[in-house]
């Protein structure tokens, strides 16, 4: 069995991975890459070059950063996600009719980051980044009477990116980077009577890439475009449950679980209206339609669908503004709207995906010519959305064991971030 536990342990020790992750952007995508961008709801990121963190969203922006720069920070995520509903039919384990609920199913998290950039010449720049693009963890207590459809889900990744950028001429810059992603994941479903129904866990590492470009239309207007490739993670590990050992339900069976971390793209703009005011906007796309199912592939050649997902592509729209109060103090604000990556029919309790609205503000203060501190705050409103299981044939056995569930997801998320930026 292939493992990457040493790499993951090192990443945790270096504080480069969240203690747990919450669902804040679409699906299990994490938007929280910097406190600077957090303050404007990540509006216009592919066209912004505030500090070394700019390379995470568009490597071409490295050409706009002078000298050598370091940015380090963290964002605290506090989700409050609840599910309320009813078990509406009897099951093979007895009559389970009645109300049931699960509170705070997504864990709080700290999402750290680190960025380094260096302007090698007038036209060439390089950068290195550590952070995460994908992660989430949900857990439903055993008192929730619908855990037979799923009671835990986790994807945790750490990503290292090495990038290079080149200024083609006064108007155009291009950039690209190699991404190394390592991570682990698990998914499971249980029952109060029969215990573990299905559980699979594993870890893996893989490679991807990112590219970007920037067009400086004139002194006051810029457009940026960036693309990140999909990365396939074959989480190799073991499974329990699945009915493959009736005499010993806790027996383990080696196998793998493939998860596609989807491709993303962003087009963004930045305009300096006057000496004090700048406005920025962006549209993001994520190829979530690649997330069709969770399927366990066992080493003996057999397989079992844990759950179908049938997601769809997601879009994010954001606008923001920056106000330069004086040479040292800048204020930011922004609003964003994330569309859900799943239709109502396929929403699940373990990944309760829904539309989200971001309301953000932040500030930067230049303590010295070399040192700037950033802070950002965001309140995310999760749209109330229905959940009904079973959704299709992949849920029928669970429904037969524990009954049908119909309910609603509701909640909100608080984000607060800090970041230090230093220029050498």
């Amino acid at each position: 069995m292939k493992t990457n536990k040493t790499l993951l342990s090192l990443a945790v020790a270096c504080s480069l991975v969240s203690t747990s992750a919450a669902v804040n952007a679409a699906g299990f995508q994490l938007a929280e890459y910097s406190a600077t961008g957090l303050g404007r709801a990540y509006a216009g990121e592919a066209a912004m070059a505030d500090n070394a963190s700019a390379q995470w969203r568009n490597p071409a922006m490295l050409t706009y950063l002078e000298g050598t720069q370091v940015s380090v920070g963290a964002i605290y995520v506090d989700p409050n996600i609840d599910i309320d509903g009813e078990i509406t039919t009897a099951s093979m384990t007895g009559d389970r009719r009645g109300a049931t609920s699960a509170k705070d199913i997504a864990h709080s998290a700290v999402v750290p980051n680190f960025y380094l950039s260096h302007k090698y010449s007038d036209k060439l720049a390089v950068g290195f980044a550590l952070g995460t693009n994908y992660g989430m963890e949900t857990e439903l207590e055993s008192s929730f009477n619908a855990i037979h459809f799923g009671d835990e889900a986790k994807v945790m990744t750490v990503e290292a990116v090495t990038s290079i950028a080149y200024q083609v001429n006064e108007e155009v810059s291009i950039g690209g980077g190699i991404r190394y992603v390592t991570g682990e994941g698990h998914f499971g479903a249980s029952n109060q009577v029969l215990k573990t129904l299905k559980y699979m866990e594993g870890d893996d590492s893989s490679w991807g890439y990112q590219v970007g470009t920037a067009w400086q239309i004139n002194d006051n207007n810029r457009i940026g475009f960036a693309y990140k490739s999909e990365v396939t993670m074959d989480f190799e590990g073991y499974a329990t449950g699945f009915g493959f050992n009736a005499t010993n339900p806790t027996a383990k069976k080696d196998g793998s679980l493939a998860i596609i971390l989807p491709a993303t793209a962003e087009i963004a703009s930045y305009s300096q209206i006057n000496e004090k005011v700048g406005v920025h906007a962006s549209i993001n796309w994520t190829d979530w339609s690649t997330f069709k199912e969770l399927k366990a592939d066992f080493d003996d050649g057999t397989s079992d669908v844990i759950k179908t997902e049938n997601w769809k592509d997601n879009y994010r729209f954001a606008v923001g503004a920056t106000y330069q109060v004086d040479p040292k103090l800048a204020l930011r604000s922004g609003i964003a709207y994330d569309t859900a990556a799943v239709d109502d029919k396929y929403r699940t309790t373990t990944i309760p995906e829904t539309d989200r609205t971001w309301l953000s503000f932040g500030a930067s203060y230049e303590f010295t010519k070399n040192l700037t501190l950033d802070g950002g705050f965001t309140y995310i409103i999760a749209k109330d959305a229905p959940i009904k299981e079973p959704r299709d044939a992949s849920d029928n056995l669970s429904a037969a064991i524990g009954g049908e569930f119909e309910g609603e997801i509701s909640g909100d998320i608080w984000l607060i971030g800090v970041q230090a930026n230093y220029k050498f």
Side-chain angles (χ1 to χ4, degrees):
M1 180 179 66
K2 181 169 58 177
T3 63
N4 291 287
K5 297 298 185 183
T6 302
L7 287 171
L8 287 170
S9 299
L10 178 60
V12 172
C14 296
S15 297
L16 296 171
V17 66
S18 59
T19 56
S20 64
V23 182
N24 307 319
F28 44 88
Q29 187 177 22
L30 292 173
E32 297 79 18
Y33 81 99
S34 79
T36 310
L38 179 67
R40 54 178 173 249
Y42 298 108
E45 296 305 289
M48 307 292 287
D50 304 278
N51 48 59
S53 66
Q55 65 187 288
W56 189 258
R57 294 290 278 267
N58 186 352
M61 301 314 298
L62 284 165
T63 63
Y64 288 82
L65 303 175
E66 297 299 326
T68 300
Q69 301 189 25
V70 175
S71 294
V72 60
I75 296 174
Y76 175 71
V77 185
D78 181 22
N80 304 284
I81 307 298
D82 302 329
I83 298 176
D84 295 282
E86 291 185 337
I87 294 293
T88 58
T89 61
S91 70
M92 62 187 292
T93 56
D95 192 341
R96 301 179 62 78
R97 299 176 185 271
T100 188
S101 63
K103 305 297 183 182
D104 292 329
I105 68 168
H107 293 188
S108 298
V110 175
V111 184
N113 51 72
F114 172 84
Y115 307 99
L116 173 66
S117 68
H118 176 66
K119 192 73 172 291
Y120 187 78
S121 68
D122 290 342
K123 291 183 175 294
L124 185 66
V126 294
F128 177 74
L130 282 167
T132 179
N133 271 312
Y134 295 96
M136 68 96 184
E137 184 173 15
T138 58
E139 183 177 4
L140 289 82
E141 296 180 354
S142 59
S143 58
F144 182 58
N145 287 330
I147 58 174
H148 49 286
F149 291 111
D151 63 344
E152 56 182 324
K154 177 181 179 180
V155 174
M156 183 172 68
T157 65
V158 181
E159 188 165 323
V161 187
T162 301
S163 299
I164 187 169
Y166 183 76
Q167 184 176 346
V168 179
N169 53 43
E170 292 184 359
E171 291 81 29
V172 178
S173 295
I174 58 175
I178 300 298
R179 303 161 56 207
Y180 175 74
V181 185
T182 184
E184 61 181 12
H186 68 239
F187 295 87
S190 302
N191 180 267
Q192 286 88 347
V193 177
L194 301 179
K195 304 305 180 182
T196 300
L197 300 177
K198 295 181 179 182
Y199 177 83
M200 182 81 195
E201 74 169 46
D203 56 88
D204 190 24
S205 60
S206 191
W207 296 87
Y209 67 89
Q210 63 179 21
V211 293
T213 185
W215 176 29
Q216 190 71 44
I217 302 172
N218 53 44
D219 290 343
N220 297 318
N221 296 279
R222 183 189 309 140
I223 293 177
F225 174 80
Y227 174 85
K228 293 181 185 288
S229 69
E230 72 174 41
V231 175
T232 299
M233 305 293 287
D234 290 314
F235 292 132
E236 295 191 5
Y238 70 88
T240 58
F242 291 91
F244 55 72
N245 193 327
T247 60
N248 183 12
T250 63
K252 296 181 179 180
K253 188 175 183 179
D254 290 342
S256 65
L257 176 69
I259 298 290
I260 295 177
L261 307 180
T264 65
E266 177 181 358
I267 185 168
S269 66
Y270 171 73
S271 297
Q272 191 68 40
I273 304 303
N274 54 44
E275 291 183 358
K276 289 186 174 293
V277 179
V279 295
H280 16 88
S282 57
I283 300 175
N284 296 75
W285 163 83
T286 303
D287 190 20
W288 278 119
S289 58
T290 57
F291 189 37
K292 298 298 185 184
E293 63 183 7
L294 293 170
K295 185 174 73 171
D297 293 307
F298 301 116
D299 290 357
D300 61 7
T302 62
S303 64
D304 194 310
V305 175
I306 300 173
K307 209 171 186 67
T308 59
E309 299 293 344
N310 292 324
W311 283 20
K312 61 182 181 179
D313 291 352
N314 145 267
Y315 294 90
R316 185 178 195 272
F317 308 91
V319 293
T322 300
Y323 181 71
Q324 194 71 42
V325 178
D326 57 41
K328 290 184 175 294
L329 177 63
L331 302 179
R332 302 184 183 92
S333 64
I335 184 171
Y337 187 76
D338 263 318
T339 64
V342 64
D343 291 325
D344 290 347
K345 172 179 172 57
Y346 288 103
R347 185 172 293 107
T348 67
T349 54
T350 46
I351 313 180
E353 169 69 357
T354 184
D355 295 355
R356 291 158 301 279
T357 301
W358 291 53
L359 304 173
S360 305
F361 68 86
S364 291
Y365 189 80
E366 184 182 281
F367 281 86
T368 70
K369 290 183 177 180
N370 301 100
L371 177 64
T372 301
L373 294 183
D374 291 353
F377 174 84
T378 291
Y379 176 59
I380 301 177
I381 305 167
K383 180 181 178 181
D384 293 354
I387 299 176
K388 186 176 182 179
E389 298 188 275
R391 303 156 307 132
D392 58 20
S394 70
D395 299 326
N396 287 345
L397 178 59
S398 295
I401 292 173
E404 298 179 1
F405 172 77
E406 185 170 1
E408 184 179 68
I409 172 183
S410 61
D412 53 38
I413 304 168
W414 300 85
L415 309 174
I416 185 168
V418 293
Q419 184 172 318
N421 312 293
Y422 193 83
K423 301 177 182 179
F424 292 91

